Amino acid sequence: MSDDDAATDGDRAADDGAAVVAAVEAVAERIEAERDHLTQLDSAIGDADHGGNMARGWAEAADAAGDLDDPDAETVAKTVGKTLMAEVGGASGPLFGGSLVFAAGELDEGITPETAVAFAETYLEKVEDRGDARVGDQTMVDALTPAVHTFKKSIEVDDLPPIEALAKAVDAAERGVAFTVPIRARKGRASYLGWRSVGHQDPGATSTLFILEEVLDVAADRLGVDVPEKDATSPTIPDEDPDEAGGDPGADSGGD
Amino acid sequence: MKKLINDPDDVVDEMLDGMTAAHPDRLRRLPDTQVLVRDDGPVDDKVALVTGGGSGHEPTHAGYIGDGMLDGAAAGDVFSSPTADEFEELIGACDAGDGVLAIIKNYEGDVMNFETAIELAEMEGVEVESVVVNDDVAVEDSLYTSGRRGVCGTILVHKAAGAKAAQGADLDEVKRVAEKVVDNVGTMGTALTSCVTPEKGEPTFDLGDDEIELGIGIHGEPGTERTEAMPADEVTEHLTEAVLDDLDLDEGQEVLTVVNGMGATPQMELFVLNRRLQELLGERGLETYDAWVGDYMTSLDMAGASITVCAVDDELKELFDAPADTPALTVK
């Protein structure tokens, strides 16, 4: 990050803002592409609206972010959070959007390794509080918590470059998503299913992973580096279609 | 299924416009929202009371906006929570500088969206407190909640806290009264038919002609027990005993009761239930202070009813008797 030294604060702020806008646009595209996949995951254990709600919310958020005039990172993040709150609805609105509005404040001095860690920690804290969920409840927290902890440790303890820390966080989120499959839901709509929720991949954890993957891609692209190699020992998500793996006869695995 | 609607997507918007047209001197809709507020609000030198939740429970929520009850309410889509930004607008529009009490029914979406809105409003300098109503004795956890659901008892929270606010009490006092009602109220309901949501256009659950559900929520969620249909007195006994067992009141305790229709039950049947309810209270040595009968918290076109019992002391009696002037409830 030392090559930024020559840049003025104004350039720096505008560049950070543009980076967040680019990330939001990439996330919107990815979520739209995964729309049916997410809805399919949600139809097995929830009310089958996660894909549609998230796709609509992120599309609106990308539009709103794109309409801002030379914004800084905090403004973009806040705008995106507000738009998600208004458009996504249900529990996902406050969880994804509301948490972003609060965490955005950590970026008021732009994006540095330190502010990025603070942002991630505040975001996780808000999601945990709002959802009253912890690791092991089969929710988005299962992907988010390992990602945030890994990111923080990579920066603060291992002293890795931010892009490598981010790549490790994405790996951790992927392991977290895999972790939601064999466990029983204790929070959210799926918890009503009790043991029947076992064998299903959590949709919120999955969309959290997609978001982090896009942020990593955009960050690597803007820094002009390759996305760091995946840790070979990292287990991947077991199956594209958990309904088949779980053998749920009621779920439609066809999609369209 | 026949319905007097145009497009399911427009039904909430059109309902809100129709409501304000029916009460132009009482209700005002905030532009570009599904939020209704008092036309004369925000009211100076008064704690504001706000609530909200999914539509389909009419006259809840906006029907209780007015002198002595609510200052505003956010309407979500049918059976789904309003978004956090609508709650935030509601809080901002109703605050007159003396703080806001948010009355939240214990449904996950309502709680999360309201809590997010409250934090955002606090960042803008508004003082906000909240109470979560969880009067449904039928369930511990449900399809939509951690913990018990908030149902018809919420109306009594609006009434008592609204009266306290109208008397000029401060935010802490208004909240204390609201919590007092929450601590002393229980409800249980029954369904004879499923409701039909505009979106789905068909019953949410199938119920045979000779079956009823006991322990239902207010969103077409099935009850805790499905039994064969039974005479009104027996249904009343099931519901009342569940509520009274939960409340565990001392003999001689005074109570206010509500027999609430779920939307498609004639008053004739509600009064039949109330008759047996009052007998049962007498048999248990309880004294009825007041008995409300009518449609207060409905579930679209569901046939059925709920029974609410609230233990009252001198303070609550005075607050329930205090004047209220709203589209759905008037006390003089």
Coordinates of all heavy atoms in Angstrom, one line a residue, chain A residues 48-78:
Chain A
A48 N -38.0 -19.6 0.2 CA -37.7 -19.6 -1.2 C -37.7 -18.2 -1.8 O -38.1 -18.0 -2.9 CB -38.7 -20.4 -2.0
D49 N -37.3 -17.2 -1.0 CA -37.3 -15.8 -1.5 C -35.9 -15.2 -1.5 O -35.7 -14.1 -1.8 CB -38.3 -14.9 -0.9 CG -38.0 -14.8 0.6 OD1 -37.1 -15.4 1.1 OD2 -38.8 -14.1 1.3
H50 N -34.9 -16.0 -1.0 CA -33.5 -15.4 -0.8 C -32.9 -14.9 -2.1 O -32.4 -13.8 -2.2 CB -32.6 -16.3 -0.1 CG -31.4 -15.7 0.5 ND1 -31.4 -14.7 1.4 CD2 -30.1 -15.9 0.1 CE1 -30.1 -14.3 1.6 NE2 -29.3 -15.1 0.9
G51 N -33.0 -15.7 -3.1 CA -32.4 -15.4 -4.4 C -33.0 -14.1 -5.0 O -32.3 -13.2 -5.4
G52 N -34.3 -14.1 -5.1 CA -35.0 -13.0 -5.7 C -34.8 -11.7 -4.9 O -34.5 -10.6 -5.5
N53 N -35.0 -11.8 -3.6 CA -34.8 -10.6 -2.7 C -33.4 -10.0 -2.8 O -33.2 -8.8 -3.0 CB -35.0 -11.0 -1.3 CG -36.5 -11.0 -0.9 OD1 -37.3 -10.4 -1.7 ND2 -36.9 -11.6 0.2
M54 N -32.4 -10.9 -2.8 CA -31.0 -10.4 -2.8 C -30.7 -9.9 -4.2 O -30.0 -8.8 -4.3 CB -30.0 -11.6 -2.4 CG -30.1 -12.0 -1.0 SD -29.2 -10.8 0.1 CE -27.5 -11.3 -0.1
A55 N -31.1 -10.5 -5.2 CA -30.8 -10.0 -6.6 C -31.4 -8.7 -6.8 O -30.8 -7.7 -7.3 CB -31.4 -11.0 -7.6
R56 N -32.7 -8.5 -6.4 CA -33.3 -7.2 -6.5 C -32.6 -6.1 -5.7 O -32.3 -5.0 -6.2 CB -34.8 -7.3 -6.1 CG -35.6 -6.1 -6.4 CD -37.1 -6.2 -5.9 NE -37.2 -6.3 -4.5 CZ -37.5 -7.4 -3.8 NH1 -37.8 -8.5 -4.4 NH2 -37.5 -7.3 -2.5
G57 N -32.3 -6.5 -4.5 CA -31.6 -5.5 -3.6 C -30.3 -5.1 -4.1 O -29.9 -3.9 -4.1
W58 N -29.4 -6.0 -4.5 CA -28.1 -5.7 -5.0 C -28.1 -4.9 -6.3 O -27.3 -4.0 -6.6 CB -27.2 -6.9 -5.1 CG -26.7 -7.3 -3.7 CD1 -27.2 -8.2 -2.9 CD2 -25.6 -6.7 -3.0 NE1 -26.5 -8.3 -1.7 CE2 -25.5 -7.4 -1.7 CE3 -24.7 -5.7 -3.3 CZ2 -24.5 -7.1 -0.8 CZ3 -23.7 -5.4 -2.3 CH2 -23.6 -6.1 -1.1
A59 N -29.1 -5.3 -7.2 CA -29.2 -4.5 -8.4 C -29.6 -3.0 -8.1 O -29.0 -2.1 -8.7 CB -30.3 -5.1 -9.3
E60 N -30.5 -2.8 -7.2 CA -30.9 -1.5 -6.8 C -29.7 -0.8 -6.2 O -29.4 0.4 -6.4 CB -32.0 -1.5 -5.8 CG -33.3 -2.0 -6.4 CD -34.1 -0.9 -7.2 OE1 -33.8 0.3 -7.0 OE2 -35.0 -1.2 -8.0
A61 N -28.9 -1.5 -5.3 CA -27.8 -1.0 -4.6 C -26.7 -0.5 -5.6 O -26.1 0.5 -5.4 CB -27.2 -2.0 -3.6
A62 N -26.5 -1.4 -6.6 CA -25.5 -1.0 -7.6 C -25.9 0.2 -8.4 O -25.0 1.1 -8.6 CB -25.3 -2.2 -8.6
D63 N -27.2 0.4 -8.7 CA -27.7 1.6 -9.3 C -27.4 2.8 -8.5 O -27.0 3.8 -8.9 CB -29.2 1.5 -9.7 CG -29.4 0.6 -10.9 OD1 -28.4 0.2 -11.5 OD2 -30.6 0.2 -11.1
A64 N -27.8 2.6 -7.2 CA -27.7 3.8 -6.3 C -26.3 4.2 -6.1 O -26.0 5.4 -6.0 CB -28.4 3.4 -4.9
A65 N -25.4 3.2 -6.0 CA -24.0 3.5 -5.8 C -23.4 4.2 -7.0 O -22.6 5.1 -7.0 CB -23.2 2.2 -5.5
G66 N -23.8 3.7 -8.2 CA -23.3 4.2 -9.5 C -23.8 5.7 -9.7 O -23.1 6.4 -10.4
D67 N -24.9 6.0 -9.1 CA -25.4 7.4 -9.2 C -24.7 8.4 -8.4 O -25.0 9.6 -8.5 CB -26.9 7.4 -8.9 CG -27.8 6.8 -10.0 OD1 -27.2 6.5 -11.1 OD2 -28.9 6.4 -9.8
L68 N -23.9 8.0 -7.4 CA -23.3 8.9 -6.5 C -22.2 9.7 -7.2 O -21.5 9.1 -8.1 CB -22.7 8.2 -5.3 CG -23.6 7.5 -4.4 CD1 -22.9 6.6 -3.4 CD2 -24.4 8.5 -3.6
D69 N -22.0 10.9 -6.8 CA -21.0 11.8 -7.5 C -19.7 11.8 -6.7 O -19.6 12.3 -5.6 CB -21.6 13.2 -7.5 CG -21.3 13.9 -8.9 OD1 -20.8 13.2 -9.8 OD2 -21.6 15.1 -9.0
D70 N -18.6 11.2 -7.3 CA -17.3 11.1 -6.6 C -17.4 10.8 -5.1 O -16.9 11.5 -4.3 CB -16.6 12.5 -6.7 CG -16.0 12.6 -8.1 OD1 -15.7 11.6 -8.7 OD2 -15.8 13.8 -8.5
P71 N -18.0 9.7 -4.8 CA -18.2 9.4 -3.3 C -17.0 8.8 -2.7 O -16.1 8.3 -3.4 CB -19.3 8.4 -3.4 CG -19.1 7.6 -4.7 CD -18.5 8.6 -5.6
D72 N -16.9 8.9 -1.4 CA -15.9 8.2 -0.6 C -16.4 6.8 -0.2 O -17.6 6.5 -0.4 CB -15.5 9.0 0.6 CG -16.7 9.3 1.4 OD1 -17.2 8.4 2.1 OD2 -17.1 10.5 1.4
A73 N -15.5 6.0 0.3 CA -15.9 4.6 0.6 C -17.1 4.5 1.6 O -18.0 3.7 1.5 CB -14.7 3.8 1.2
E74 N -17.0 5.4 2.6 CA -18.1 5.3 3.6 C -19.4 5.6 3.0 O -20.4 5.0 3.3 CB -17.8 6.4 4.7 CG -18.8 6.4 5.8 CD -18.6 7.5 6.9 OE1 -17.8 8.4 6.6 OE2 -19.3 7.5 7.9
T75 N -19.5 6.7 2.2 CA -20.7 7.1 1.6 C -21.3 5.9 0.7 O -22.5 5.6 0.7 CB -20.5 8.3 0.7 OG1 -20.0 9.3 1.5 CG2 -21.9 8.8 0.1
V76 N -20.4 5.3 -0.1 CA -20.9 4.2 -0.9 C -21.5 3.1 -0.1 O -22.6 2.6 -0.3 CB -19.8 3.6 -1.8 CG1 -20.3 2.5 -2.7 CG2 -19.2 4.7 -2.7
A77 N -20.7 2.7 1.0 CA -21.1 1.6 1.8 C -22.5 1.9 2.5 O -23.4 1.0 2.6 CB -20.1 1.2 2.8
K78 N -22.6 3.1 2.9 CA -23.8 3.5 3.6 C -25.0 3.5 2.7 O -26.1 3.0 3.0 CB -23.6 4.9 4.2 CG -24.6 5.2 5.4 CD -24.1 6.4 6.2 CE -23.4 5.9 7.4 NZ -22.9 7.0 8.3

